[in-house]
Amino acid sequence: MRAIWTGAIGFGLVNIPVKIYSATQSSSLDLDMLDRKDKSNIKYKRVNEKTGKEVAWENIVKGYMLKDKYVVLEDADFEDASPEKNKMINLRSFVKLEEIDSIYFDTPYYLEPQKGGEKAYQLLLKGLEKSKTAGLGSFVMRNIENLVIIKPYQNMLLLNKLRFEEEIRSAEELKIPGASKIKKEEMDMALQLIKQHSHSFDISGYKNEYTRDLLKIIKQKEKGKRATIRKMTVENTKAADLLAQLKASLA
């Protein structure tokens, strides 16, 4: 694996040099865009809006529209914005994981100690384990500030990006129904159905079945065979049929 960020964790006055690695990878198929006529690969070009000519990477800069005019930003400007956050993950506080709503969780990353930081890394890891807390802080990666928690995970430290409160959209526009009158028999059966299918969480039992099935179709088409199309119609359960469907589910 290749590190995507190098810096340090600020733990009080202790600095722990670390490297960040992506903890996840896509399980989807890598599909290319082709011209239907001759199956040629479709390529994208970065072109000047005015001239229509392609622009070389070294001539591309980033800019922000301010008062109808672009302000161009150089690499030094990004570094100057928050120099300490470009190289330091400062843990501001320690929180209980169960206090963080799951809607805020984003991408996970592995943390590896750099040379000389092994003991301090272990100290933070064991401290979080014993206190049953996670460190909350922020840092800048790829010119974007990230709110993060650092928590123990399988004898190592895991960094989990969190969404800022301002990034969560309001649900006020959704038409969520009010409380419906649920019959006791319906609730009893719903609870019985939940209990019947309750198990300890085991992620290993779940695979990306869609990708697997899609790959089967690709291999069939490569051999000149036509894939069998399974048609499925979803019938929504009406309120009047709810009790009958619950009984059938339990049966």
Side-chain angles (χ1 to χ4, degrees), residues 93-110:
S93 61
F94 295 89
V95 299
K96 300 290 184 183
L97 278 173
E98 58 267 25
E99 295 177 353
I100 306 174
D101 195 301
S102 61
I103 197 170
Y104 294 108
F105 282 95
D106 202 341
T107 318
Y109 297 89
Y110 294 136

Side-chain angles (χ1 to χ4, degrees), residues 63-242:
Y64 182 80
M65 179 66 77
L66 187 66
K67 297 179 181 178
D68 300 323
K69 187 174 71 173
Y70 274 114
V71 177
V72 174
L73 293 166
E74 305 294 346
D75 290 342
D77 297 318
F78 293 108
E79 293 286 339
D80 288 344
S82 281
E84 69 286 352
K85 288 187 177 180
N86 279 281
K87 287 297 176 184
M88 183 74 73
I89 307 169
N90 275 312
L91 300 183
R92 301 180 193 171
S93 61
F94 295 89
V95 299
K96 300 290 184 183
L97 278 173
E98 58 267 25
E99 295 177 353
I100 306 174
D101 195 301
S102 61
I103 197 170
Y104 294 108
F105 282 95
D106 202 341
T107 318
Y109 297 89
Y110 294 136
L111 289 174
E112 177 190 65
Q114 294 190 66
K115 189 175 181 180
E118 294 87 353
K119 186 174 180 179
Y121 180 97
Q122 282 294 318
L123 176 65
L124 178 58
L125 173 62
K126 299 304 179 185
L128 293 176
E129 287 176 343
K130 286 183 178 295
S131 63
K132 296 181 180 179
T133 62
L136 178 64
S138 61
F139 79 113
V140 172
M141 180 169 66
R142 295 168 181 165
N143 302 327
I144 296 173
E145 179 161 6
N146 300 279
L147 182 64
V148 300
I149 58 164
I150 292 177
K151 62 179 182 178
Y153 176 76
Q154 297 183 357
N155 296 318
M156 63 183 294
L157 290 174
L158 183 81
L159 180 147
N160 224 123
K161 284 170 61 176
L162 297 179
R163 297 179 179 92
F164 286 98
E165 184 180 31
E166 63 209 51
E167 295 177 313
I168 306 301
R169 299 175 68 178
S170 171
E172 290 180 356
E173 296 180 16
L174 302 182
K175 296 177 181 177
I176 305 298
S180 301
K181 189 176 181 181
I182 305 294
K183 297 178 182 176
K184 183 181 183 303
E185 189 178 8
E186 292 172 336
M187 179 55 71
D188 288 344
M189 285 194 176
L191 292 174
Q192 191 177 340
L193 184 61
I194 291 169
K195 184 178 180 181
Q196 184 175 301
H197 293 279
S198 293
H199 305 282
S200 297
F201 179 70
D202 181 9
I203 194 69
S204 66
Y206 297 87
K207 308 295 181 185
N208 190 333
E209 295 179 354
Y210 177 80
T211 296
R212 183 194 63 193
D213 291 345
L214 188 59
L215 187 56
K216 284 182 181 177
I217 291 173
I218 291 170
K219 289 180 177 178
Q220 286 179 323
K221 295 195 76 171
E222 190 271 334
K223 294 176 181 177
K225 297 179 181 179
R226 185 175 180 82
T228 302
I229 306 299
R230 297 174 296 170
K231 292 187 177 180
M232 182 178 176
T233 303
V234 179
E235 294 185 13
N236 296 325
T237 302
K238 298 181 178 65
D241 301 331
L242 190 55

